[in-house]
Amino acid sequence: MILHISSIKEFSAQARGGNGGMSSYSTSWTDVVIDRIHGEAKSAYESIPPYFRRFDAFGNDEHPSIFKPRLKPQVNQLELFAITTTSPAHGPGQPPLDSAGGERGQLRRPPTPETDKDHIVVAAVGPYHHRTASAQQQPPPLITCAKKCGIVKYLTGSFNLDVVGFLQWVQRNEERARRCYERESFQMNSQEFAEMLLLDGCVLLFAIFLLRPSIREDKLPAKLAADADHGREFRNLSAHISFHMKQTTLDLLVLHNQIPFFVLTELHSRLKNTFFAGVNYSLEELALSCFQDVHPFGLKEGDLSPTTQRDGGGNGGGNGTERFPQRVHHLLHLFHWSLVPGQKYGVDINSIPPREPESHLPSATELEESLTIFTKQKDAKGSRSSCCLDITFESSRMATRGVMRLPALHIHGYSEAVFRNLIAFEQNHLRCGHGVTTYAICMARLLQSDADARLLRNSGILPYTQRTDKEIVDFFRQLVDECRNTCMPDDLIALCKDVAAHHQSTGVRVIKGFVLQCFPKQTITFFVIFGAIISIATLINTVHSMYRYYHPRGNLPPMGR
């Protein structure tokens, strides 16, 4: 669907007259885009999706019971698809991001795919997957260019989407949108860029419309599917997303698979009273609610729902008072904000990077020997601290007891992909803080052996995971590889210092020395305690026997008298 300048000029010669100048040129190229979209959209309806073939029994008296296997994404792609490389952190010579260029450098150009880990399964969006990039992917995404055109045509015909007005709006905001991507990371002319944002923006809004939990309230997708005029068209266009909802959600969290959020906001405002009629939530609320099924901390039903956000309860991110960040860059940024606690783990881009924590963070078993217990992060009233990537440490006055609180992490097959994309986003956009990076580094240092993983598992920090202890250790060790030579936030430095101070305190060393001297091994400790219990029981029995000898019941004389 690449628009060539020559074709645009030919069409502008035949365009409607009377406007003249720039207006005539603008009208002509937008008409070319619309005609091309309508032409390619026709192929989206020529074949029935393979998922619908098993429904043939409803209209067949023979009731067939043998069907061809359903088309499914590859298993390894459901578990892993992440960014394989990240660029180093900003150096001291780089200027800070100002308001004009605050969105620059967020979205990184993916390298040439070498493995299936980088493959987008359902929906590929953004300039890095436009035409030439998507042609390199094997197999191609399920939502093809024709499907994208079909979605635009559906929204235009059924919900009065003003395609010409939106394309002209993109042309006026082109420079702002291009600043959201790595400089000179792709080559697209203005018309191609505007067309790409139109197609991919409609695809993302279409996916949000289908993935949001609030469909249980309004049931709009079911109503659209039952529509007599356009129901079949809607079912055809929504098939891939509906049958691969979790994989679509994961696709939306890939760093190089994003488009600027303000583009989605503009499209949503144009469809708010038509396609989203009756959905009384902001786009931020709807988008964030789509990710609760892949949240790494096992959210309860409705924890990231639009209702929760609207009530001002605050999600994991922020400080409990701000509903959403002042500027949302893209969907991955919005999800990142929901994980990182507010006012913490910020990075001073004017300081000299990088620096490692001065003190070593002991492993979990070493901290247990230092009288430190591990517990899940508590829920604070009015906040979602248990959903945050936040680690806190407290020590008693005499430094004889420490408490480390961590969020309960649920590790699934796709968790590595989600964390890698979050870390890649932090490494390339320092203004959003290093909350995920800090969490990964702390967990990697706490989990040095299988015994450490077993300890955190028994403490409820790592519940409900099918991975072995060794796999958990390797999971965080590989994540830390994404954080090499990076800026460390002051909160991480302070945490390591507090833990080291407790670990090396005089009170802890005295108690540890006493325990090791008196009870060097667990078996010896068991037999000492068991022997003490037997001795106490024998002494009590002896005293009781002597008492009864001299004070018999019923005033009977003692035996032998």
Side-chain angles (χ1 to χ4, degrees), residues 137-174:
Q137 300 181 5
Q138 297 295 333
L142 297 179
I143 297 182
T144 61
C145 186
K147 288 286 185 182
K148 293 181 180 181
C149 295
I151 292 174
V152 174
K153 183 176 180 294
Y154 174 73
L155 295 177
T156 303
S158 301
F159 298 98
N160 301 322
L161 174 62
D162 183 9
V163 174
V164 174
F166 178 77
L167 290 173
Q168 293 175 345
W169 177 88
V170 172
Q171 195 175 42
R172 294 192 299 269
N173 294 271
E174 178 183 357

Side-chain angles (χ1 to χ4, degrees), residues 178-207:
R178 286 183 181 269
R179 286 201 304 265
C180 298
Y181 298 90
E182 185 181 7
R183 184 182 303 175
E184 299 178 357
S185 58
F186 62 90
Q187 294 182 354
M188 299 176 66
N189 60 40
S190 298
Q191 288 73 35
E192 293 172 348
F193 189 69
E195 182 183 354
M196 179 272 298
L197 291 180
L198 169 66
L199 294 176
D200 294 348
C202 289
V203 169
L204 290 183
L205 281 185
F206 203 73

